[in-house]
């Protein structure tokens, strides 16, 4: 028995397959990279449409499995860019209908978190979810992901991407900023640090970093300072959330979890609070199809499938709106 999952919320068209135990049998993708600027929703959708058959072909040549073994079709139902989401949804409905198997509408945020929980073997972790669209410190409690802290303006990954664009670096900016920060030799320039209770804000930091850029500060120094400041803000909230909740493990997921300096800082905070720390493997930090397949598998086991009448995409679907039947 295998489950196939389709990710198409933003830049990545990903298709993955997991077996009954959740082990990844295939994880293939094609990533849309805008020529200039940020993501254009319609261009992303066109990219996904064009690449669908290519990625699906890769999946089947990689796994050697056949469509007859597929027992569920999962797709990222939201949140995300409507035109991009629709491509995955249409494909999922078509496949599920023609194979006569259940359709599984997955929340993209829950999928990042559950895949991290699977890899980290974490039972009841505090979850740090950092990506291009999300910045949330959350944990599962009585069938819901409760949000402890989140960004009040833009997401951490988005802040990095926008700064990178201002510095003429290509999209996505996170990995380039990480490389440049390593060359800074520890020079730090003061930047605004904004933590409000358990929440965070990054737009003041972004504006100040852009100002340093126009004032001619070395790019490496700004990248280093940007990382140190924003990651320290996240670390502070994580520290407080650990102290409040008494949770004994912390895991990090989402595209920004690929950043080694971030993981180092979070590991330190966890250690000080006598908590275990683990990260999703960097390869699976960003958007991927196997996380959708894995979440679909959890839904299938919990017998929560998605009828066609409720399969419309949900561009603004929030993490804390979802019932998690496996989260008793
Ligand atoms: P979501 O819907 O979960 O918000 P997303 O569309 O932002 O997803 P992800 O692939 O989860 O997609 O995350 C992408 C983000 O991760 C981008 O902002 C990118 O710059 C950031 N990122 C990727 N690698 C790194 C890195 N090494 N350091 C910092 N940020 C990174
Ligand atoms: Fe994502």
């Amino acid at each position: 028995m295998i489950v196939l999952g389709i990710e198409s919320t933003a830049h990545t068209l990903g298709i993955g397959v997991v077996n009954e135990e959740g082990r990844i049998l295939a994880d293939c993708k094609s990533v849309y990279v805008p020529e200039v600027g940020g993501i254009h929703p319609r261009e992303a959708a066109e990219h996904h449409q064009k690449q669908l058959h290519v990625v699906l072909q890769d999946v089947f040549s990689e796994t050697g499995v056949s469509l007859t073994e597929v027992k569920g079709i999962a797709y990222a139902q939201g949140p995300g860019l409507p035109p991009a989401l629709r491509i995955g949804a249409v494909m999922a409905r078509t496949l599920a209908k023609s194979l006569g198997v259940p359709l599984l509408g997955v929340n993209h945020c829950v999928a990042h978190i559950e895949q991290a929980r699977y890899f980290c073997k974490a039972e009841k972790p505090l979850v740090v979810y950092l990506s291009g669209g999300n910045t949330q410190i959350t944990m599962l409690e009585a069938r819901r992901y409760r949000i402890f802290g989140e960004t009040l303006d833009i997401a951490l990954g988005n802040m990095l991407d926008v700064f990178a664009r201002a510095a003429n670096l290509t999209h996505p900016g996170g990995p380039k900023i990480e490389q440049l920060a390593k060359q800074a030799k520890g020079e730090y320039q003061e930047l605004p640090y904004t933590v409000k209770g358990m929440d965070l804000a990054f737009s003041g930091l972004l504006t100040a970093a852009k100002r340093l850029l126009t004032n001619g500060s070395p790019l490496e120094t700004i990248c280093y300072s940007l990382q140190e400041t924003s990651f320290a803000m996240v670390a502070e909230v994580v520290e407080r959330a650990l102290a409040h909740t008494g949770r004994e493990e912390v895991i990090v997921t989402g595209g920004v979890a690929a950043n080694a300096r971030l993981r180092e800082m979070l590991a330190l905070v966890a250690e000080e609070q006598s908590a275990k720390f683990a990260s999703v493997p960097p390869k699976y930090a960003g958007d991927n199809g196997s996380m959708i397949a894995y979440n679909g598998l959890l839904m299938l086991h919990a017998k929560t499938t998605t009828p066609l009448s409720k399969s419309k995409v949900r561009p603004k679907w929030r993490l804390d709106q979802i019932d998690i039947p496996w989260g008793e």
Side-chain angles (χ1 to χ4, degrees), residues 7 9 11 108-109 112 129 131-134 254-255 285-288 291:
E7 158 61 36
T9 61
H11 43 75
H108 176 92
C109 309
H112 269 297
Y129 169 34
S131 60
N134 289 280
D287 294 350
N288 65 83
M291 72 184 193

Side-chain angles (χ1 to χ4, degrees), residues 11-195:
H11 43 75
T12 301
L13 172 71
I15 306 181
V17 175
V18 298
N19 72 4
E20 205 163 340
E21 286 86 47
R23 196 162 59 81
I24 298 171
L25 302 182
D27 184 73
C28 302
K29 62 173 74 170
S30 169
V31 181
Y32 153 75
V33 183
E35 272 170 37
V36 284
I39 300 178
H40 306 282
R42 225 161 331 108
E43 277 183 18
E46 272 164 32
H47 162 271
H48 297 348
Q49 197 164 31
K50 282 197 192 116
Q51 293 300 314
L52 259 179
H53 70 283
V54 181
V55 180
L56 196 61
Q57 190 66 54
D58 288 348
V59 164
F60 286 107
S61 44
E62 209 170 273
T63 51
V65 295
S66 78
L67 274 174
T68 55
E69 292 169 75
V70 176
K71 294 296 177 259
I73 300 288
Y75 68 106
Q77 195 171 357
L81 309 170
L85 282 171
R86 272 181 228 120
I87 303 295
V90 167
M91 183 195 183
R93 284 185 207 112
T94 312
L95 279 174
K97 185 110 173 80
S98 56
L99 296 172
V101 300
L103 187 61
L104 305 150
V106 168
N107 178 283
H108 176 92
C109 309
V110 177
H112 269 297
I113 294 172
E114 292 299 340
Q115 188 176 44
R117 225 149 67 88
Y118 169 83
F119 276 118
C120 299
K121 297 189 175 60
E123 274 289 314
K124 294 185 81 184
L126 182 77
V127 179
V128 189
Y129 169 34
L130 306 171
S131 60
N134 289 280
T135 302
Q136 288 168 331
I137 288 88
T138 177
M139 59 185 212
L140 188 52
E141 181 77 62
R143 296 174 71 121
R144 280 277 153 121
Y145 275 100
R146 316 276 162 183
I147 293 170
F148 268 80
E150 63 184 328
T151 180
L152 298 171
D153 48 31
I154 52 175
L156 174 55
N158 184 231
M159 186 274 286
L160 296 172
D161 293 338
V162 174
F163 174 77
R165 225 177 297 147
N168 286 322
L169 305 169
T170 50
H171 191 86
K176 280 129 208 157
I177 290 176
E178 179 174 21
Q179 288 316 313
L180 286 162
K182 279 186 196 151
Q183 298 160 23
K185 304 178 200 83
E187 306 114 3
Y188 177 78
Q189 280 197 288
E190 193 82 26
L191 283 169
Y193 180 101
T194 321
V195 177

